[in-house]
Amino acid sequence: PSRRRPRMPGGSASWRVQLEHVAGPKPDGWKSDRKDFKLRDGRPMRFGRNPKGDVVFSSPNVSWDHLELRLLAPSEGGSEPRFAVCDSSSNGSGLQPRRDGKLSRIEKGKEAPIVDGGVIVLPILAKDGKVEDHRAYLQVRELGRGEDTKDRAEAEAAKAKRKKSDDTKEKREDSKKRGGKVKDEKAKASEREKEKEKTKDKERHKSKDRGKDKAREKERARSSEKARGHSAEKARSSKDKRKDADKKARDERRGKTSDQKKAGRKKDEASDEDDDLLGLIERRLAASKQTDLEEQAKEEAKTAKSSAAAPVPEAPMAQEPPRSP
């Protein structure tokens, strides 16, 4: 047997609610942050990427039929209806009891009650980027009952209108797809050609850059070789200069030494000549002195001879002293 959802009390099968966009991506087609809806008994509000749903998102992280907001019959002894959400997505949904309340994930496939002022969060997970950049926060507020008959008529009219618009959209999309395949192929081919041209331009730029780098390397190598040649030339010239200076100093020292030797030899020769002259003088003085001595000896000998030849005087006889008486 089929399980029927219990009817709302008093014959009313609809309830007016308001969704307010709090944060995150805004649903498609929303011009303001608030939008009113009518929840009907047996017909939940659908959230997802399905364009036939009530709250539509274009994010790829939102499932086609992501979430449902349901109107439940009052609990036993109660008169007010209850609200619940049921998640059927792959990336999950969550609830907050209020805007700054703790976020809790909804168990998939099970109805989770939501209070007035509660916040629906979807999705919980994201395939790419930061999760917070993809999460939408929608606050649910109760606005009161709706008229049963009027609601049914409005619902039927809205359903027919949606169906007609959906059929028209599907036809347009089919025609666009059939006519757009060729355009898409041409566009893809042109895109591929553009990518190839971009790749070729990049390669040409890279080859030019490599050529420029090689030329710069060669120029640096030549400049470094020139610098090394200049430094080597300077080193050789300085070495040659040092050698010339050393040679000149040695030659000067040698010249001074030879001059000194020559002066010494001249001095020695002069001293030798002086010594010879002094010796000659001394010999002459000695000879003259010897001659003088010989002449003196001769004179003395002559004197002696002459004194020996002269008569010797007789000595006087001594007188006898007188005798005393």
Side-chain angles (χ1 to χ4, degrees):
S2 61
R3 298 180 61 185
R4 290 187 178 180
R5 191 179 294 274
R7 298 288 295 174
M8 297 294 294
S12 177
S14 67
W15 200 269
R16 291 169 56 240
V17 296
Q18 185 185 75
L19 292 182
E20 182 181 356
H21 175 254
V22 178
K26 188 179 287 188
D28 296 351
W30 282 33
K31 295 181 180 179
S32 63
D33 291 335
R34 294 183 180 87
K35 195 170 185 179
D36 296 344
F37 296 89
K38 288 181 181 179
L39 269 176
R40 294 172 178 84
D41 184 24
R43 187 188 178 282
M45 282 178 61
R46 294 175 296 171
F47 297 68
R49 287 189 291 110
N50 189 352
K52 296 180 181 180
D54 299 290
V55 183
V56 182
F57 292 91
S58 59
S59 173
N61 296 295
V62 178
S63 299
W64 187 261
D65 294 317
H66 196 99
L67 180 77
E68 289 183 354
L69 176 61
R70 296 174 180 175
L71 179 65
L72 305 180
S75 59
E76 293 183 5
S79 60
E80 296 296 328
R82 295 175 299 136
F83 299 92
V85 291
C86 183
D87 177 68
S88 58
S89 66
S90 58
N91 288 331
S93 305
L95 284 178
Q96 286 179 322
R98 55 186 182 278
R99 287 193 180 187
D100 56 350
K102 182 180 179 181
L103 177 64
S104 59
R105 185 169 181 174
I106 303 169
E107 189 174 353
K108 187 176 180 179
K110 292 188 178 182
E111 291 181 342
I114 182 173
V115 297
D116 184 22
V119 179
I120 298 172
V121 183
L122 73 157
I124 292 295
L125 304 176
K127 296 178 182 178
D128 53 351
K130 293 182 179 180
V131 180
E132 288 297 330
D133 295 339
H134 299 282
R135 284 181 180 173
Y137 293 77
L138 300 172
Q139 190 173 27
V140 181
R141 293 195 178 278
E142 301 178 18
L143 298 179
R145 293 178 184 274
E147 295 297 330
D148 193 19
T149 306
K150 188 178 179 182
D151 289 343
R152 286 198 189 96
E154 287 180 358
E156 292 297 331
K159 186 176 180 180
K161 190 176 181 181
R162 283 198 302 271
K163 186 177 180 181
K164 187 177 179 180
S165 64
D166 291 341
D167 293 339
T168 306
K169 284 181 181 179
E170 287 178 0
K171 287 179 182 178
R172 287 177 183 173
E173 287 177 358
D174 291 338
S175 62
K176 284 181 180 180
K177 286 179 181 178
R178 286 193 298 271
K181 281 184 179 179
V182 179
K183 291 182 179 179
D184 292 339
E185 289 296 329
K186 289 181 179 178
K188 287 179 180 178
S190 64
E191 287 293 330
R192 286 194 293 271
E193 291 295 328
K194 287 180 181 178
E195 290 294 331
K196 287 181 181 178
E197 289 295 328
K198 286 181 181 179
T199 306
K200 288 180 180 178
D201 291 337
K202 287 181 180 179
E203 290 296 328
R204 284 195 292 270
H205 286 305
K206 285 182 180 178
S207 62
K208 286 181 181 180
D209 293 337
R210 285 195 291 270
K212 289 180 180 178
D213 293 337
K214 287 181 179 178
R216 282 195 290 269
E217 288 293 332
K218 287 181 180 178
E219 187 64 28
R220 282 197 291 269
R222 283 196 295 270
S223 61
S224 61
E225 286 179 1
K226 285 181 180 179
R228 286 196 294 271
H230 287 309
S231 60
E233 188 67 28
K234 285 182 180 179
R236 284 195 296 271
S237 63
S238 62
K239 191 174 180 180
D240 293 338
K241 287 180 180 178
R242 285 196 299 271
K243 284 183 179 179
D244 294 338
D246 295 338
K247 186 176 180 182
K248 189 175 181 181
R250 284 196 300 271
D251 293 339
E252 288 179 355
R253 286 195 297 272
R254 287 173 183 171
K256 286 181 180 180
T257 306
S258 61
D259 293 339
Q260 289 175 356
K261 286 182 179 179
K262 288 179 181 179
R265 284 197 295 271
K266 287 181 179 180
K267 190 175 181 179
D268 293 338
E269 289 176 356
S271 63
D272 291 338
E273 288 179 357
D274 292 339
D275 292 339
D276 293 339
L277 183 60
L278 289 173
L280 179 61
I281 291 169
E282 287 177 355
R283 286 195 297 274
R284 287 181 179 179
L285 288 173
S288 64
K289 192 176 182 180
Q290 185 69 27
T291 304
D292 293 338
L293 289 173
E294 288 177 355
E295 288 178 358
Q296 187 177 0
K298 287 178 180 180
E299 287 292 334
E300 288 178 357
K302 286 178 180 181
T303 305
K305 284 180 179 180
S306 62
S307 60
V312 180
E314 292 180 4
M317 292 181 67
Q319 291 180 6
E320 222 178 279
R323 296 180 182 179
S324 61

